[in-house]
Coordinates of all heavy atoms in Angstrom, one line a residue:
Chain B
L157 N 32.0 24.0 11.8 CA 30.6 23.9 11.2 C 29.6 23.8 12.3 O 29.9 23.3 13.4 CB 30.5 22.7 10.3 CG 31.5 22.7 9.0 CD1 31.2 21.4 8.2 CD2 31.2 23.9 8.2
S158 N 28.4 24.2 12.0 CA 27.2 24.1 12.9 C 26.8 22.7 12.9 O 27.2 21.8 12.1 CB 26.1 24.9 12.5 OG 25.5 24.4 11.3
R159 N 26.0 22.3 13.9 CA 25.5 20.8 14.0 C 24.8 20.4 12.7 O 25.1 19.4 12.2 CB 24.6 20.8 15.1 CG 23.9 19.4 15.4 CD 24.9 18.3 15.8 NE 24.8 17.3 14.8 CZ 25.3 16.1 14.9 NH1 25.9 15.8 16.1 NH2 25.2 15.1 14.0
G160 N 24.0 21.3 12.1 CA 23.3 21.0 10.9 C 24.3 20.7 9.7 O 24.1 19.8 9.0
Q161 N 25.3 21.6 9.6 CA 26.3 21.5 8.5 C 27.1 20.2 8.7 O 27.4 19.5 7.8 CB 27.1 22.7 8.5 CG 26.4 23.9 8.0 CD 27.2 25.2 8.3 OE1 28.0 25.3 9.3 NE2 27.0 26.2 7.4
L162 N 27.3 19.8 10.0 CA 28.1 18.6 10.3 C 27.2 17.4 9.8 O 27.8 16.5 9.1 CB 28.4 18.6 11.8 CG 29.2 17.4 12.2 CD1 30.7 17.6 11.7 CD2 29.2 17.3 13.8
S163 N 25.9 17.5 10.1 CA 25.1 16.4 9.7 C 25.1 16.3 8.1 O 25.1 15.2 7.5 CB 23.6 16.6 10.1 OG 23.5 16.5 11.5
A164 N 25.1 17.5 7.5 CA 25.1 17.5 6.0 C 26.3 16.8 5.4 O 26.2 16.1 4.4 CB 25.0 19.0 5.5
V165 N 27.4 17.0 6.1 CA 28.7 16.4 5.6 C 28.5 14.8 5.6 O 28.8 14.1 4.6 CB 29.9 16.7 6.5 CG1 31.1 15.9 6.0 CG2 30.2 18.2 6.4
G166 N 27.9 14.3 6.7 CA 27.7 12.8 6.8 C 26.6 12.4 5.7 O 26.8 11.4 5.1
V167 N 25.6 13.2 5.6 CA 24.6 12.8 4.7 C 25.1 12.8 3.2 O 24.8 11.9 2.4 CB 23.4 13.8 4.7 CG1 22.5 13.8 3.4 CG2 22.6 13.6 5.9
I168 N 26.0 13.7 2.9 CA 26.5 13.8 1.6 C 27.4 12.6 1.3 O 27.4 12.0 0.2 CB 27.2 15.1 1.3 CG1 26.2 16.3 1.3 CG2 28.0 15.2 0.0 CD1 26.9 17.7 1.3
I169 N 28.2 12.3 2.3 CA 29.1 11.1 2.1 C 28.3 9.9 1.9 O 28.6 9.0 1.0 CB 30.1 10.9 3.3 CG1 31.1 12.1 3.3 CG2 30.9 9.6 3.2 CD1 32.1 12.0 4.5
G170 N 27.2 9.7 2.7 CA 26.4 8.5 2.6 C 25.7 8.4 1.3 O 25.7 7.4 0.7
L171 N 25.2 9.5 0.8 CA 24.5 9.5 -0.5 C 25.4 9.3 -1.7 O 25.2 8.5 -2.6 CB 23.6 10.7 -0.7 CG 22.3 10.8 0.1 CD1 21.7 12.2 -0.1 CD2 21.3 9.8 -0.4
A172 N 26.5 10.1 -1.7 CA 27.4 10.1 -2.8 C 28.3 8.8 -2.9 O 28.8 8.5 -3.9 CB 28.3 11.4 -2.8
S173 N 28.3 8.1 -1.7 CA 29.1 6.9 -1.8 C 28.4 5.8 -2.7 O 29.1 5.0 -3.3 CB 29.3 6.3 -0.4 OG 28.1 5.7 0.1
R174 N 27.1 5.9 -2.8 CA 26.3 5.0 -3.5 C 26.8 3.5 -3.2 O 26.8 2.6 -4.0 CB 26.4 5.1 -5.0 CG 25.7 6.4 -5.4 CD 25.5 6.5 -7.0 NE 24.7 7.7 -7.3 CZ 24.9 8.4 -8.4 NH1 25.8 8.1 -9.2 NH2 24.2 9.5 -8.6
A175 N 27.1 3.3 -1.9 CA 27.5 2.0 -1.4 C 26.3 1.1 -1.5 O 25.1 1.5 -1.4 CB 28.0 2.0 0.0
E176 N 26.5 -0.2 -1.7 CA 25.5 -1.2 -1.9 C 24.6 -1.2 -0.6 O 23.4 -1.5 -0.7 CB 26.0 -2.6 -2.2 CG 26.4 -2.7 -3.6 CD 27.2 -4.0 -3.8 OE1 26.5 -5.1 -3.7 OE2 28.4 -4.0 -4.1
I177 N 25.2 -1.1 0.6 CA 24.4 -0.9 1.8 C 24.9 0.4 2.4 O 26.0 0.5 2.7 CB 24.6 -2.0 2.7 CG1 24.4 -3.4 2.1 CG2 23.7 -1.8 4.0 CD1 24.7 -4.6 3.1
T178 N 23.9 1.3 2.6 CA 24.2 2.6 3.2 C 23.4 2.8 4.5 O 22.2 2.6 4.4 CB 24.0 3.8 2.2 OG1 24.6 3.5 0.9 CG2 24.5 5.1 2.8
F179 N 24.1 3.0 5.5 CA 23.4 3.3 6.8 C 23.4 4.8 7.0 O 24.4 5.4 7.0 CB 24.2 2.6 8.0 CG 24.2 1.1 7.8 CD1 25.2 0.5 7.1 CD2 23.2 0.4 8.5 CE1 25.1 -0.9 7.1 CE2 23.2 -1.0 8.5 CZ 24.2 -1.7 7.7
F180 N 22.3 5.4 7.4 CA 22.1 6.7 7.8 C 21.7 6.7 9.2 O 20.6 6.1 9.6 CB 21.1 7.5 7.0 CG 21.5 7.7 5.6 CD1 21.0 7.0 4.6 CD2 22.5 8.7 5.2 CE1 21.4 7.2 3.2 CE2 22.9 9.0 4.0 CZ 22.3 8.2 3.0
D181 N 22.5 7.3 10.2 CA 22.3 7.3 11.6 C 21.8 8.6 12.0 O 22.5 9.6 12.1 CB 23.6 6.9 12.3 CG 23.5 6.8 13.8 OD1 22.4 6.6 14.3 OD2 24.5 6.8 14.4
E182 N 20.5 8.7 12.3 CA 19.8 9.9 12.6 C 20.4 11.1 11.8 O 21.0 12.1 12.3 CB 20.1 10.3 14.1 CG 19.8 9.1 15.0 CD 18.5 9.1 15.7 OE1 17.7 10.1 15.5 OE2 18.1 8.3 16.4
P183 N 20.2 11.0 10.4 CA 21.0 12.0 9.6 C 20.5 13.4 9.7 O 21.2 14.3 9.3 CB 20.8 11.4 8.2 CG 19.4 10.7 8.3 CD 19.3 10.1 9.7
Y184 N 19.4 13.7 10.3 CA 18.8 15.0 10.2 C 19.1 15.9 11.4 O 18.7 17.0 11.5 CB 17.2 14.8 10.1 CG 16.7 13.8 11.2 CD1 16.8 14.2 12.5 CD2 16.4 12.5 10.9 CE1 16.5 13.3 13.6 CE2 16.1 11.6 11.9 CZ 16.2 12.0 13.2 OH 15.9 11.1 14.2
L185 N 19.9 15.4 12.3 CA 20.1 16.2 13.6 C 20.7 17.6 13.2 O 21.7 17.7 12.5 CB 21.2 15.5 14.5 CG 20.6 14.4 15.3 CD1 21.7 13.9 16.2 CD2 19.5 14.8 16.2
G186 N 20.0 18.6 13.7 CA 20.5 20.0 13.4 C 20.1 20.4 12.1 O 20.2 21.7 11.8
L187 N 19.5 19.6 11.2 CA 19.1 20.1 9.9 C 17.7 20.8 10.0 O 16.9 20.3 10.7 CB 19.0 18.9 8.8 CG 20.2 18.3 8.4 CD1 19.9 17.2 7.4 CD2 21.2 19.3 7.8
D188 N 17.5 21.9 9.3 CA 16.3 22.6 9.3 C 15.3 21.8 8.5 O 15.6 20.9 7.7 CB 16.4 24.1 8.9 CG 17.0 24.2 7.5 OD1 16.4 23.6 6.6 OD2 18.0 25.0 7.4
A189 N 14.0 22.2 8.5 CA 12.9 21.5 7.8 C 13.2 21.4 6.3 O 13.0 20.4 5.6 CB 11.6 22.2 8.0
V190 N 13.7 22.5 5.7 CA 14.0 22.5 4.3 C 15.1 21.5 3.9 O 15.0 20.7 3.0 CB 14.4 24.0 3.8 CG1 14.8 24.0 2.3 CG2 13.3 24.9 4.2
A191 N 16.2 21.6 4.7 CA 17.3 20.7 4.5 C 16.9 19.2 4.6 O 17.3 18.3 3.9 CB 18.4 21.0 5.4
R192 N 16.0 18.9 5.6 CA 15.6 17.6 5.8 C 14.8 17.1 4.6 O 15.0 16.0 4.2 CB 14.6 17.4 7.1 CG 15.5 17.7 8.3 CD 14.8 17.0 9.5 NE 13.4 17.5 9.8 CZ 13.2 18.6 10.6 NH1 14.1 19.2 11.1 NH2 11.9 19.0 10.8
Q193 N 13.9 17.9 4.1 CA 13.1 17.6 3.0 C 14.0 17.3 1.8 O 13.7 16.4 1.0 CB 12.0 18.6 2.7 CG 11.0 18.2 1.7 CD 10.2 17.0 2.2 OE1 9.8 16.9 3.3 NE2 10.2 15.9 1.3
L194 N 15.0 18.2 1.7 CA 16.0 18.0 0.6 C 16.6 16.6 0.6 O 16.8 15.9 -0.4 CB 17.1 19.1 0.6 CG 16.9 20.3 -0.2 CD1 17.8 21.4 0.3 CD2 17.0 20.0 -1.6
F195 N 17.0 16.3 1.8 CA 17.6 15.0 2.1 C 16.7 13.8 1.6 O 17.1 12.9 0.9 CB 18.1 14.8 3.5 CG 18.4 13.3 3.9 CD1 19.4 12.7 3.1 CD2 17.8 12.7 4.9 CE1 19.7 11.4 3.5 CE2 18.1 11.4 5.2 CZ 19.1 10.7 4.5
Y196 N 15.4 13.9 2.1 CA 14.5 12.9 1.7 C 14.3 12.8 0.2 O 14.3 11.7 -0.4 CB 13.2 13.0 2.4 CG 13.2 13.1 3.9 CD1 12.6 14.1 4.6 CD2 14.1 12.3 4.6 CE1 12.6 14.2 6.0 CE2 14.2 12.4 6.0 CZ 13.5 13.3 6.7 OH 13.6 13.4 8.1
D197 N 14.2 13.9 -0.5 CA 13.9 14.0 -1.8 C 15.1 13.4 -2.6 O 15.0 12.6 -3.5 CB 13.7 15.4 -2.3 CG 12.3 16.0 -1.8 OD1 11.6 15.2 -1.4 OD2 12.1 17.2 -1.9
R198 N 16.3 13.8 -2.2 CA 17.5 13.4 -2.9 C 17.7 11.9 -2.8 O 18.2 11.3 -3.7 CB 18.8 14.1 -2.5 CG 18.8 15.7 -2.8 CD 18.9 15.9 -4.3 NE 18.9 17.2 -4.6 CZ 17.8 17.9 -5.0 NH1 16.7 17.3 -5.2 NH2 17.9 19.2 -5.2
L199 N 17.4 11.5 -1.6 CA 17.5 10.0 -1.3 C 16.7 9.2 -2.2 O 17.2 8.3 -2.9 CB 17.2 9.7 0.2 CG 17.2 8.3 0.6 CD1 18.6 7.6 0.5 CD2 16.7 8.1 2.1
V200 N 15.4 9.6 -2.3 CA 14.5 8.8 -3.1 C 14.8 8.9 -4.6 O 14.9 7.9 -5.3 CB 13.0 9.3 -2.9 CG1 12.1 8.7 -3.9 CG2 12.6 9.1 -1.5
E201 N 15.3 10.1 -5.0 CA 15.6 10.3 -6.4 C 16.8 9.5 -6.8 O 16.8 8.8 -7.8 CB 16.0 11.8 -6.5 CG 16.1 12.4 -7.8 CD 16.5 13.9 -7.7 OE1 15.8 14.6 -7.0 OE2 17.6 14.2 -8.2
D202 N 17.8 9.5 -5.9 CA 19.1 8.8 -6.3 C 18.9 7.3 -6.1 O 19.4 6.5 -6.9 CB 20.3 9.2 -5.4 CG 21.6 8.9 -6.1 OD1 21.8 9.4 -7.2 OD2 22.4 8.2 -5.5
Y203 N 18.0 6.9 -5.2 CA 17.7 5.5 -4.9 C 17.0 4.9 -6.1 O 17.2 3.8 -6.5 CB 16.8 5.3 -3.7 CG 16.2 4.0 -3.4 CD1 17.0 3.0 -3.0 CD2 14.9 3.8 -3.7 CE1 16.4 1.8 -2.7 CE2 14.3 2.5 -3.5 CZ 15.0 1.6 -3.0 OH 14.5 0.4 -2.8
S204 N 16.1 5.7 -6.7 CA 15.3 5.1 -7.9 C 16.2 4.9 -9.1 O 16.0 4.0 -9.9 CB 14.2 6.0 -8.2 OG 14.5 7.3 -8.5
R205 N 17.2 5.8 -9.2 CA 18.2 5.7 -10.3 C 19.3 4.6 -10.0 O 19.8 3.9 -10.9 CB 18.9 7.0 -10.6 CG 18.2 7.7 -11.8 CD 18.9 9.0 -12.1 NE 18.1 10.1 -11.9 CZ 18.5 11.4 -11.5 NH1 19.8 11.6 -11.4 NH2 17.6 12.3 -11.3
H206 N 19.7 4.5 -8.8 CA 20.7 3.6 -8.4 C 20.3 2.8 -7.2 O 20.6 3.1 -6.0 CB 22.0 4.4 -8.0 CG 22.6 5.2 -9.1 ND1 23.4 4.7 -10.1 CD2 22.4 6.5 -9.5 CE1 23.7 5.7 -10.9 NE2 23.1 6.8 -10.5
P207 N 19.4 1.7 -7.4 CA 18.9 1.0 -6.3 C 20.0 0.4 -5.5 O 21.0 0.0 -6.0 CB 18.1 -0.1 -7.0 CG 17.9 0.3 -8.4 CD 19.0 1.2 -8.8
R208 N 19.8 0.4 -4.2 CA 20.7 -0.1 -3.2 C 19.9 -0.3 -2.0 O 18.7 0.0 -1.9 CB 21.9 0.8 -3.0 CG 21.4 2.2 -2.5 CD 22.5 3.3 -2.7 NE 21.9 4.4 -3.3 CZ 22.4 5.6 -3.4 NH1 23.6 5.8 -2.9 NH2 21.8 6.7 -3.9
T209 N 20.5 -0.8 -0.9 CA 19.9 -1.1 0.4 C 20.2 0.1 1.3 O 21.3 0.5 1.5 CB 20.3 -2.3 1.0 OG1 20.1 -3.4 0.1 CG2 19.6 -2.6 2.3
V210 N 19.2 0.8 1.8 CA 19.4 1.9 2.6 C 18.7 1.6 4.0 O 17.6 1.0 4.1 CB 18.7 3.2 2.1 CG1 18.7 4.3 3.1 CG2 19.3 3.6 0.7
V211 N 19.6 1.8 5.1 CA 19.0 1.6 6.4 C 19.0 3.0 7.1 O 20.1 3.6 7.2 CB 19.8 0.6 7.2 CG1 19.2 0.5 8.7 CG2 19.8 -0.8 6.6
L212 N 17.8 3.5 7.4 CA 17.7 4.8 7.9 C 17.3 4.7 9.3 O 16.1 4.3 9.6 CB 16.7 5.5 7.0 CG 16.4 7.0 7.2 CD1 17.5 7.8 7.0 CD2 15.2 7.4 6.3
S213 N 18.2 5.1 10.3 CA 17.7 5.1 11.6 C 17.1 6.5 12.0 O 17.7 7.5 11.5 CB 18.9 4.8 12.6 OG 19.4 6.0 13.2
S214 N 16.1 6.5 12.7 CA 15.4 7.7 13.0 C 14.4 7.6 14.2 O 14.0 6.5 14.5 CB 14.5 8.1 11.8 OG 13.8 9.2 12.0

Side-chain angles (χ1 to χ4, degrees):
Chain B
L157 296 180
S158 71
R159 176 67 240 197
Q161 291 167 330
L162 185 66
S163 296
V165 176
V167 161
I168 294 174
I169 293 179
L171 282 173
S173 75
R174 287 193 178 146
E176 282 171 68
I177 307 178
T178 309
F179 295 87
F180 289 102
D181 183 16
E182 312 262 357
Y184 46 71
L185 282 183
L187 290 181
D188 58 53
V190 177
R192 292 204 300 273
Q193 194 56 51
L194 266 167
F195 166 57
Y196 304 136
D197 291 349
R198 294 290 179 262
L199 173 64
V200 172
E201 198 181 298
D202 204 58
Y203 168 77
S204 58
R205 262 183 244 154
H206 302 272
R208 57 198 135 163
T209 304
V210 173
V211 179
L212 184 63
S213 103
S214 178

